[in-house]
Amino acid sequence: MTRPALKTASSMALNAGTLSSLPSVIQRPAYDWQKVPVGIVHVSLGAFHRSHQAVYTDDTLAQKPGSWGICGVGALPSDKNLIDGLQAQNTLYSVAMKGPKTTDVRIVGSLREAMLMPGNVQAVLKRLEDPAVKILSLTITEKGYCHNPQTGKLNEKNPAIVHDLANPNEPQSVIGLIVAALRWRQQQGAAPFTVLSCDNLPGNGHKTADIVTALARLQDEKLANWIEANVAFPNTMVDRITPVTTAADKVSLTERFGYTDEALVVCEPFCQWILEDKFTLGRPAWENVGAQFVGDVYPYELAKIRLLNVIHTVLAYPAFLMGFVHVHEGASDALLARYARKVMDDEITSTLPPVPGLDLEPYKTTILERFANPAILDTWERICSDGSSKIANQLVPIVYERLTKGQDVKGLALLVAAWFRYLTGVQDDKSTYTLNDPLAARLQKLAKDSGTDAKPLLAVKEVFGEQVMEKTAFVNHVCAFLPMIYEKGIRKVIEIEYS
Ligand code: CS2
């Protein structure tokens, strides 16, 4: 249904009716977007999916019509406003690509439906029953996989998984949703969709396969065997820095282009997608619009996660503690930039297998330049979120790998100590901030109660594993850095170690 244009004196709302009235500099879907049937269901409909996979699909549809429209599913109750906003806009939205000097705005037409999962899981399962749905793609963040980061296996004690085992047809977790939807297809004798993880989890396809199959096996051995034999879980590497859209971003879009968009996404111009070509029911021709299909994604994924995501984390807690709000400010600080580059060069590069066609030196430089882009106004608050699962999944494996080889982990340990200091929720000047982490309450209490003693936080098994206390070199570094940070402040400690 096309909504009438909501014109006010100065602005109009984005929707099908107003699309043709937008300024001509704004790129619009160059295809009959309203007629594109859904072939992909995507969970969860965050800013990153809208700036990345939905854009590749939009470009593909513009090249050649196909049945690859996306039904985006919001996985959290807080996604309701976004879903409502999108529905009011005929699921159209804008992407503002902000380079250091220029901004390009485009309207994306590939998102064809939007729905909310909480309170509505039967409707999502029904959507997944449609045989036209050939791909179920995911950006559910590391914690959405309900697994143990140390082993990569399903965490059977995760409350959502406990719930889903007791109520397999009314799942709460996305993993439970996938199993329920696949069970329906198996029972109907229907072909399964491909499950495409687009999260920053090393070996994301393999891990998703393991976790989904494990949950299925706890319910029904035959279903688990059918999933193993029939469902494809390609590995992928995804990359595009996409900050949280702010009210100021929306106001600036309206001021500049004269329309409002409740689902605006802001991102950097850089974009990369590397995938394995394992799609049992077909896929959009993403390779024609810049995605790269390779035999083994793992080296690319590891390089991206360890050099970009881990270095984001390495910078995040020191930068936040130093009072930097925006990523470009912290990343342009000479001392922090030197610390980040040293960790990249001394502690990460040697853990990476050769990456075909990728020269790591310019890759590292480009990452630091991307962080320093002043236009996208990404925040340390975003990068600091979910630290426990980012550190457990992305950083601890590097520490363990290096220690096994007798290599030093000073820079990574310094970051862990900075994280412990951050977990108190109180700055040196006594101002407070809120932690956004699945383990927030427990970690904050531990950080406050134990102060300069790092051991109680190091003993958190969900983050550091069972045997962390045996990793003496790492434990000693963290235990030495934490009191120094309390005493001298983080900048001084980095100065001492990295000047
Ligand atoms: C970031 C990522 O969440 C984080 O900590 O490192 O969201 C990062 O911006 C993207 O993975 C870039 O591709």
Side-chain angles (χ1 to χ4, degrees):
M1 192 187 72
T2 303
R3 290 182 150 241
L6 293 174
K7 282 199 194 251
T8 65
S10 58
S11 67
M12 58 191 168
L14 171 65
N15 60 43
T18 56
L19 196 55
S20 59
S21 315
L22 299 182
S24 57
V25 297
I26 295 178
Q27 188 190 316
R28 277 158 277 191
Y31 58 97
D32 202 351
W33 55 277
Q34 279 170 300
K35 299 226 171 86
V36 177
V38 166
I40 301 173
V41 171
H42 181 84
V43 193
S44 122
L45 188 54
F48 180 68
H49 172 72
R50 285 177 286 139
S51 79
H52 191 273
Q53 303 105 66
V55 169
Y56 279 94
T57 305
D58 194 51
D59 284 340
T60 313
L61 290 168
Q63 276 198 348
K64 191 167 172 262
S67 306
W68 295 112
I70 300 168
C71 167
V73 179
L76 302 172
S78 54
D79 290 331
K80 184 168 185 327
N81 282 349
L82 171 72
I83 305 291
D84 289 350
L86 277 164
Q87 282 169 349
Q89 296 180 182
N90 307 102
T91 51
L92 292 170
Y93 67 93
S94 324
V95 174
M97 275 167 293
K98 295 195 167 188
K101 296 209 174 75
T102 53
T103 300
D104 289 320
V105 180
R106 62 184 287 171
I107 307 295
V108 174
S110 57
L111 183 70
R112 291 292 77 251
E113 295 172 14
M115 63 201 296
L116 193 66
M117 181 167 148
N120 203 22
V121 74
Q122 292 310 322
V124 179
L125 284 169
K126 194 89 205 133
R127 197 69 197 83
L128 285 163
E129 287 176 6
D130 181 351
V133 172
K134 301 192 162 78
I135 297 173
L136 169 58
S137 56
L138 308 172
T139 47
I140 54 177
T141 76
E142 296 85 330
K143 63 179 185 283
Y145 289 82
C146 305
H147 70 302
N148 173 343
Q150 306 309 323
T151 60
K153 303 288 173 214
L154 175 74
N155 175 5
E156 294 173 25
K157 295 193 187 126
N158 177 297
I161 296 296
V162 172
H163 170 275
D164 294 356
L165 280 167
N167 308 276
N169 295 320
E170 193 63 37
Q172 264 176 6
S173 74
V174 175
I175 302 301
L177 176 86
I178 301 173
V179 173
L182 288 173
R183 183 188 312 110
W184 190 88
R185 292 218 178 189
Q186 179 224 15
Q187 285 169 351
Q188 302 303 309
F193 43 74
T194 296
V195 181
L196 182 67
S197 165
C198 298
D199 280 295
N200 293 315
L201 211 56
N204 53 11
H206 289 137
K207 284 208 177 102
T208 313
D210 273 7
I211 294 164
V212 166
T213 315
L215 180 60
R217 200 168 298 288
L218 291 172
Q219 300 172 10
D220 172 356
E221 187 74 22
K222 272 205 191 117
L223 173 62
N225 294 341
W226 181 83
I227 292 176
E228 255 170 9
N230 296 288
V231 183
F233 294 85
N235 289 296
T236 64
M237 179 269 243
V238 290
D239 195 3
R240 177 168 246 184
I241 295 175
T242 308
V244 178
T245 307
T246 62
D249 292 324
K250 291 184 189 170
V251 169
S252 126
L253 181 91
T254 306
E255 280 172 1
R256 195 146 164 220
F257 300 108
Y259 73 97
T260 59
D261 180 352
E262 291 310 317
L264 166 70
V265 177
V266 171
C267 62
E268 62 173 344
F270 182 97
C271 200
Q272 196 174 23
W273 197 8
I274 304 188
L275 310 88
E276 279 168 10
D277 204 357
K278 296 196 299 192
F279 290 77
T280 43
L281 298 179
R283 59 168 177 80
W286 288 313
E287 70 275 28
N288 293 342
V289 293
Q292 204 183 335
F293 284 88
V294 299
D296 182 10
V297 169
Y298 195 66
Y300 300 90
E301 224 189 340
L302 210 62
K304 189 268 169 167
I305 291 174
R306 293 191 169 180
L307 290 170
L308 190 148
N309 300 109
V310 169
I311 294 300
H312 246 164
T313 303
V314 161
L315 284 169
Y317 303 104
F320 189 93
L321 290 171
M322 286 180 194
F324 291 114
V325 172
H326 291 114
V327 171
H328 70 277
E329 296 152 355
S332 311
D333 177 87
L335 180 66
L336 282 178
R338 188 159 60 244
Y339 166 49
R341 185 72 198 210
K342 282 292 276 178
V343 177
M344 280 177 155
D345 291 345
D346 298 353
E347 298 183 29
I348 296 190
T349 307
S350 68
T351 70
L352 301 175
V355 193
L358 188 75
D359 184 348
L360 287 179
E361 289 312 303
Y363 185 68
K364 290 188 269 190
T365 305
T366 306
I367 287 173
L368 294 174
E369 282 166 6
R370 289 166 60 199
F371 289 178
N373 173 355
I376 60 167
L377 296 177
D378 199 5
T379 60
W380 290 120
E381 189 186 357
R382 178 182 85 86
I383 313 295
C384 286
S385 67
D386 286 355
S388 65
S389 66
K390 288 175 187 168
I391 289 175
N393 282 287
Q394 298 169 350
L395 191 131
V396 171
I398 309 177
V399 170
Y400 280 24
E401 200 178 310
R402 287 185 64 80
L403 291 176
T404 312
K405 295 183 189 147
Q407 296 166 337
D408 191 36
V409 290
K410 181 179 89 171
L412 296 169
L414 177 50
L415 166 270
V416 170
W419 181 52
F420 288 177
R421 173 67 190 81
Y422 164 88
L423 287 174
T424 57
V426 185
Q427 284 281 23
D428 286 339
D429 66 6
K430 305 277 179 278
S431 58
T432 57
Y433 47 89
T434 306
L435 305 185
N436 179 1
D437 192 290
L439 304 180
R442 192 169 132 218
L443 294 176
Q444 184 160 10
K445 181 165 185 339
L446 273 174
K448 281 187 157 165
D449 291 350
S450 46
T452 55
D453 178 6
K455 290 215 164 117
L457 279 163
L458 281 169
V460 176
K461 295 192 183 72
E462 292 93 321
V463 180
F464 297 106
E466 304 274 341
Q467 269 104 37
V468 67
M469 292 307 168
E470 292 161 24
K471 316 284 176 194
T472 336
F474 173 64
V475 171
N476 289 348
H477 272 313
V478 180
C479 288
F481 283 138
L482 186 58
M484 274 171 81
I485 295 173
Y486 272 100
E487 191 200 330
K488 301 178 196 298
I490 184 71
R491 176 175 283 282
K492 191 82 206 145
V493 179
I494 302 181
E495 242 166 48
I496 294 170
E497 301 296 328
Y498 288 92
S499 282

